[in-house]
Amino acid sequence: PMLGEPAKDDTILQFNELIYDKGMGKVLARLLVHRRDYAVEAVNRDGPNEPKFFIDGESWSLHGRMYIMQVGEQEPAFVIRRAYNYLNPVARMIGQYTYRIIPFKYEREGGYAPEHAIFTVTKDRFGRGALWLHEEWRVYYGDGGCSRATYGVLSCRQRQQVYYSISEGWSRASWATTFYKGNIRSMSGDHRTATLDDGTIIQGDELLQHEVAHAKKTGGPKRALRWAVDILGALLEATGTANLLQTGATLFWADVYDVTAYKGQDSMLISSLAAMQDVTRDLAYLRPV
């Protein structure tokens, strides 16, 4: 399944995090309950960018809902929601970060259930490579066959995986992320070889055939700066002023990404993944990432 129309050509999408465009009430929700809002535009090198769709957060949602709405439509097409709410103290610390993408009609009718999910998206608490800084994300069809408990999602059914993505790590200090289709179980630290679910190792041109998109951060704080702020925040914990640092970062740091979706790929799904990755990095602020 696809969320949107397949890209006719390689498409560069500018992915902008919005702060003050949404009014002060929503800025307060951004600060208190981690609301995030994004605008996605197709980059036009010969003129103004073309607005494609919006990913709008909900101010008082315990599941961090974000609504995917195409330009010109009156109602969202899909909803992104976390599998566990912010008041679940154990799930905030244990298990995977987990999101589900569901058709808006289930949200409107109040009948949401995990089996309504079109895709389930997960990120492990720890990544790969040095200091576990290569973030690994997986996209599963449907509810992913994930095992669930009160303390969070721990694992999903590997054969239902349809996409995999991995970020850069320590050596490049970058949030650049590459997206792959297929059932990739793991990727080497240099991103040159991958292991499939059946144990097959692929590399070179064969690996490139699995690549579907690439995202690079073009605005907002650099990853190395975030590390420096994390260290400073840890020092400020002793004085009780760490929250001031977090508040300032939330109010003034807006992120911008250029997301390249290759021909034939689902640009709406790729952009939705970029939104989940960005908000999760913010949620992990002042905690190991």
Side-chain angles (χ1 to χ4, degrees), residues 100-150:
R100 301 194 192 278
I101 303 176
I102 63 173
F104 177 70
K105 67 177 183 178
Y106 294 114
E107 190 75 16
R108 182 184 58 227
E109 297 167 359
Y112 162 77
E115 54 266 26
H116 294 149
I118 301 174
F119 295 106
T120 295
V121 182
T122 68
K123 174 192 175 295
D124 289 338
R125 295 281 169 168
F126 297 97
R128 301 185 66 81
L131 300 179
W132 307 283
L133 291 176
H134 292 269
E135 292 184 347
E136 284 188 302
W137 289 79
R138 303 175 191 277
V139 181
Y140 301 88
Y141 173 71
D143 67 359
C146 304
S147 60
R148 303 189 299 272
T150 56

Side-chain angles (χ1 to χ4, degrees), residues 57-82:
E58 183 176 323
S59 291
W60 307 111
S61 169
L62 293 177
H63 289 85
R65 291 175 178 84
M66 296 186 288
Y67 298 90
I68 307 171
M69 180 177 290
Q70 297 192 62
V71 172
E73 296 293 330
Q74 299 300 313
E75 186 175 85
F78 304 98
V79 182
I80 302 168
R81 55 174 287 160
R82 294 189 70 188

Side-chain angles (χ1 to χ4, degrees), residues 145-210:
C146 304
S147 60
R148 303 189 299 272
T150 56
Y151 46 78
V153 172
L154 295 181
S155 63
C156 298
R157 193 170 296 147
Q158 186 68 35
R159 65 174 178 269
Q160 289 186 228
Q161 181 181 308
V162 290
Y163 289 97
Y164 171 92
S165 80
I166 188 168
S167 75
E168 296 290 353
W170 173 265
S171 61
R172 297 188 180 182
S174 165
W175 284 123
T177 302
T178 306
F179 302 81
Y180 300 87
K181 64 181 178 182
N183 201 335
I184 294 177
R185 181 178 290 275
S186 63
M187 182 80 65
S188 63
D190 58 10
H191 300 189
R192 293 182 180 179
T193 62
T195 302
L196 303 182
D197 182 43
D198 62 3
T200 302
I201 297 176
I202 59 174
Q203 57 187 336
D205 291 341
E206 190 175 5
L207 179 58
L208 286 175
Q209 291 175 9
H210 286 258

